[in-house]
Amino acid sequence: QNNVNTFNQLMEANMVANKLAGLSDAELALMEKLLQKEFLEEADRHRTWKTKNLYEKPYQKSQNLARCITAIKSQRDLNKMMETRW
């Protein structure tokens, strides 16, 4: 059962990777820009929370946004590398 779940997760990850790889640089750049905007807004909300409540708010959303931005940048870099290679 556990192996089946792991296999399914790998297949889903592969499908997502293929979909990202199929996007144009303009589409990836748009996604990156939107994610960066949301990241900055979340960082501002975090600062406001910390000032108002005097303690750190969990920042899971910021971490998720940062990982998404990194994934988009990596995909754009890979696409550029593959373009120059051919």
Side-chain angles (χ1 to χ4, degrees):
Q1 179 68 21
N2 204 10
N3 287 341
V4 171
N5 287 340
T6 303
F7 177 76
N8 288 339
Q9 289 171 338
L10 287 172
M11 291 301 294
E12 287 175 15
N14 190 37
M15 288 189 311
V16 170
N18 286 339
K19 290 194 183 293
L20 274 177
L23 295 175
S24 70
D25 190 63
E27 292 165 328
L28 290 169
L30 174 63
M31 287 177 64
E32 186 177 346
K33 181 179 174 183
L34 293 171
L35 287 166
Q36 287 172 340
K37 180 177 182 243
E38 181 62 25
F39 181 83
L40 292 174
E41 289 172 4
E42 184 63 19
D44 189 48
R45 285 189 289 272
H46 179 74
R47 277 190 297 281
T48 302
W49 171 273
K50 186 177 176 183
T51 302
K52 181 180 173 186
N53 297 294
L54 303 176
Y55 67 92
E56 292 283 333
K57 175 184 156 190
Y59 54 100
Q60 183 66 35
K61 185 174 181 181
S62 295
Q63 291 175 327
N64 290 343
L65 288 167
R67 282 194 294 272
C68 289
I69 291 167
T70 300
I72 296 296
K73 284 182 179 182
S74 296
Q75 186 62 54
R76 290 182 74 199
D77 291 344
L78 179 63
N79 289 354
K80 286 176 186 171
M81 188 172 61
M82 296 304 285
E83 280 179 10
T84 57
R85 198 170 153 198
W86 302 111

